[in-house]
Amino acid sequence: MRDDGNPVPKAQSQGSQSPGLPATAVAAVMLLTVTLSPGGSAAAAPAAGPKPTVITLDIPAPKDSAGGILVADVNDDGAMDYLVTVPGHLAVYGADGRKLWIKRLDIVVGGQSESQGLPGHHGPGAAAGDVDGDGHCEVVFLTKDSVLHVLDGATGRSEARAKPSVPAGAQRWEVAMIADFRRRGDDRDLLLQATNRKGYRTGRYLAAYATAELLKGARPLWTTDRFVSCAHNSARLGDITGDGRDEVLGATILSHDGRVLARAATFRGHMDSVFVADVAPDKAGLEVVLLEEGSNAVQVLGAGGVIWRRDYKRWEPQNAAVGRFAPDSNETFIWCRSRFNTHQKPFVFNAKGKVVFAYEMDGVAPRGWTASGVETIYTIDWTGRRQQLVCAKERHTSGDVCLFEPLTGKFVVRIRDKCDRLMVADVTGDWREEVIVLSGSELHVYRNPAANPRPNVNRLWADRNYRRRKQCYNYYSP
């Protein structure tokens, strides 16, 4: 991930209204085109963050960008538990903060994937699910000797291991993702991914397995060495066609049996990140959102091909958040952070590919917020209303966390912390999502203390695509 920091003309509001978006919101954003210093007069002070639940971890604090956070019900009690990885350690803590187990081993986590291989910055390097169909959760991960480990989720006891053959051009298998390619149960298959060992490393190698057969030493369901992955993180998985089986998602979309369903439009450079959302509700299934570095555009790709491809002033989008950001509307928007070392200038596409908002982060960030802007960017269901917010941390520092409205830039909540890792997930049971911060050797879990206005909505974990998004993520594609 590079930031060139070259001087670029100031972003201007497009002044056009997206369907279902109040005109008052457009007017508010037009005011934000004024250049202000951080915490300037146009930036109202956000609310203070709630007090966190604190869990002290018996593992070292992160020293670099290797390792991350995973959430799963590992002990099958209905409550979501926490898995944290740093080099040499995998720690599992219960929803109540009790230490369940810790393993000290050479788990595959790392930093820059282009030089070190996957899973990339902040990638947790583990997955969790009922991979053997016994009704209990297992934890699955790889170690640097290319051994796949399957552990009992509740106790950490080893249940099985295997050492599948590694592609000739790869150093090792680097990521193991839980999948469903055969409709034999949500979590009964695995996808292994690896990068090329020489040159600029991207995850071109894939092997899909039935987990039970892999553990017996059987051959894979299918393999390929031509997958065009995001350059910085692993493939994403999701059932975008609605057939009950996972597709493999990147700049190419592969079917459950490894066939190419779609390819991104020709682009120069590589893809920085990849997201899954219902951008085009008039079309069947879900869509893949891709951010280009080089051609500096956003692509929306469906199983049937490219739906649209647009750029804004040829500025690189670099990181994004995709969600329902307008009040009282189901329209999906794509908020792009922009690529500047300092003084970020976000811009927003609507579902049709039109830029409908652009503003300067300096004009909306609260006083004292870093001029480097935001990073590790999540869409979050925080309020319980239909409108979603964005959650991110201060960039290039172990700093604060914010929740803001991406269409206006308004900071809603500021959580003062020293955030080394950030994750957003539904952990407390009311379907709204919580903010999970790894600060040194502590987990800080922040929940919205306000009453949930829609308490009868299903938990987000009931959606298999949600579960997939929360396992094969990293810094670039939360």
Side-chain angles (χ1 to χ4, degrees), residues 131-300:
V131 299
D132 58 9
D134 67 351
H136 301 290
C137 182
E138 285 81 36
V139 176
V140 178
F141 58 90
L142 291 156
T143 45
K144 290 185 177 178
D145 55 2
S146 277
V147 173
L148 175 77
H149 298 261
V150 180
L151 274 56
D152 176 73
T155 65
R157 175 181 55 84
S158 178
E159 291 189 356
R161 61 179 61 191
K163 191 170 184 177
S165 59
V166 177
Q171 181 180 9
R172 63 171 73 91
W173 288 117
E174 298 161 2
V175 179
M177 292 168 270
I178 292 173
D180 179 4
F181 296 125
R182 301 169 301 139
R183 284 195 294 219
R184 303 288 178 86
D186 281 358
D187 297 337
R188 307 294 168 78
D189 301 321
L190 289 175
L191 181 70
L192 303 184
Q193 187 173 18
T195 61
N196 45 291
R197 75 160 69 90
K198 296 180 180 179
Y200 192 96
R201 297 172 68 163
T202 60
R204 60 184 293 184
Y205 300 101
L206 298 175
Y209 285 91
T211 305
E213 299 304 311
L214 168 60
L215 298 176
K216 296 175 184 176
R219 295 169 61 87
L221 299 170
W222 54 265
T223 65
T224 184
D225 62 358
R226 297 184 179 182
F227 179 66
V228 183
S229 186
C230 170
H232 306 302
N233 56 264
S234 67
R236 306 304 290 262
L237 291 170
D239 177 15
I240 69 167
T241 63
D243 69 351
R245 296 174 290 203
D246 285 317
E247 283 77 45
V248 183
L249 312 174
T252 46
I253 297 177
L254 303 184
S255 67
H256 66 276
D257 53 4
R259 293 176 294 108
V260 175
L261 294 180
R263 291 184 174 89
T266 302
F267 58 95
R268 184 180 70 254
H270 59 253
M271 294 298 179
D272 261 346
S273 49
V274 53
F275 305 86
V276 182
D278 190 7
V279 179
D282 57 325
K283 298 182 182 295
L286 302 177
E287 288 73 47
V288 177
V289 178
L290 299 161
L291 307 186
E292 302 174 16
E293 178 181 332
S295 299
N296 295 350
V298 173
Q299 286 196 45
V300 175

Side-chain angles (χ1 to χ4, degrees), residues 55-62 66-72 74 81-94 100-105 107 109 122-128 139 141 420-423 436-445 473:
I55 301 173
T56 302
L57 308 177
D58 191 21
I59 58 173
I69 304 168
L70 194 70
V71 173
V74 298
D81 308 303
Y82 304 97
L83 298 85
V84 181
T85 58
V86 293
H89 298 80
L90 166 58
V92 181
Y93 283 74
L100 299 181
W101 51 270
I102 293 177
K103 293 292 181 182
R104 292 173 172 83
L105 36 68
I107 187 171
V109 291
H122 300 193
V139 176
F141 58 90
D420 297 312
R421 298 287 185 275
L422 177 66
M423 188 186 187
I436 308 165
V437 169
L438 177 61
S439 178
S441 290
E442 290 183 347
L443 275 183
H444 299 165
V445 183
Y473 79 93

